[in-house]
Amino acid sequence: MALLPNPSLSLRAEQLGSPDLSADRAAPAASHRRRDFVFVVNPKGANGRTGKEWKKLLPYLRIRLADHCNVCESFTSGPSHAIDITREAIREGAEAVIAVGGDGTLHEVVNGFFWDGNPLVSHEKGSTTALGLIPLGTGSDFARTFGWKNDPYDAIDRIAKGNKSKIDVGAIEGPTGDKHFFVNVADIHLSAKAGYYASQYKKFGNLCYVIGALKAFKGHENHDLEIKVDGGEWESVTKVTAMCIGNAKYFGGGMKITPTADPANGHLELVVLQNFKWYDFIIKLHRLYGGTHLSVKGVSSRSVKSIEVKERVQRGDIYVQSDGEHWGFLSTKFSILPGAIDFFC
């Protein structure tokens, strides 16, 4: 398979040793064409650690994946590059696209599974592409929902075993109607603003989240918002500090912000923090990280399939982010796409 003839992708296919996937072992060798596993690697992730660790992983990858597939490396060269690589791989009939990096790389790969707001279809009739993850980033929050350690060797073992299940994907839609997608957590106001600042300090590792929060608190004001849940009536939500919409449980480097979220239940978890002061976060930080904050005063939670959010008084400065990536500003609609992607688990 020829993927994106741009030489900057550093694409390489390798034919490996004996397979680990018993289902394919039973079929005669000539009965099927070997398909591609495309590994989308962000070599600059985690201050360059991702690229270095990937090189160390390759020998183990050769042993585990064997000759079941063509292993294709594709290195990203900048923002949104992983989206383009993923789309090209799916169109050409890749069996799997595996994000190698952090939540940002995974976020882009997930968005590559869609085109013009709809799931992308392969040129090869009947071909489907699965999503995989080898966590090598700063936060790796999505992996925490499954109880996975930040261990790339364990991740390779999961991919080699071939077990897959369908996971939900969240969709974000702005005033223009254009859709963007997330697999982990989307959030609004203070936490989104903190994430925006944190992204500028990734070189400091997980400390970037602390720096981002401190900068976001400067000049922060709680705001009155309005929400419409599952197509119902508009509701007023006063003095909102942060609003989080979780397909999965964790964000911000291990904070269990939407603790009842499940990426396979067909719903999003909405958690709202109201009238929090800066000292509330210090006092209640351990509960936010432990996921025991839903009983705290000023915190509410509910399960939704869709939610529209807007300002009561339009200002245009309420931040929105998804999977730790800045998306834009209110107003915004969030919805769930149940079982949208096959995921190696």
Side-chain angles (χ1 to χ4, degrees), residues 99-115:
V100 182
D103 294 309
T105 302
L106 176 63
H107 177 75
E108 288 197 4
V109 168
V110 166
N111 274 271
F113 274 74
F114 299 87
W115 174 262

Side-chain angles (χ1 to χ4, degrees), residues 205-248:
N206 281 338
L207 186 60
C208 71
Y209 300 114
V210 177
I211 299 172
L214 291 173
K215 291 199 68 171
F217 268 120
K218 185 177 180 181
H220 169 77
E221 295 179 1
N222 297 324
H223 278 288
D224 297 338
L225 303 179
E226 293 187 353
I227 64 173
K228 181 190 287 188
V229 173
D230 296 340
E233 299 297 323
W234 284 101
E235 308 171 28
S236 179
V237 187
T238 60
K239 299 181 180 179
V240 173
T241 306
M243 186 175 288
C244 302
I245 301 98
N247 184 48

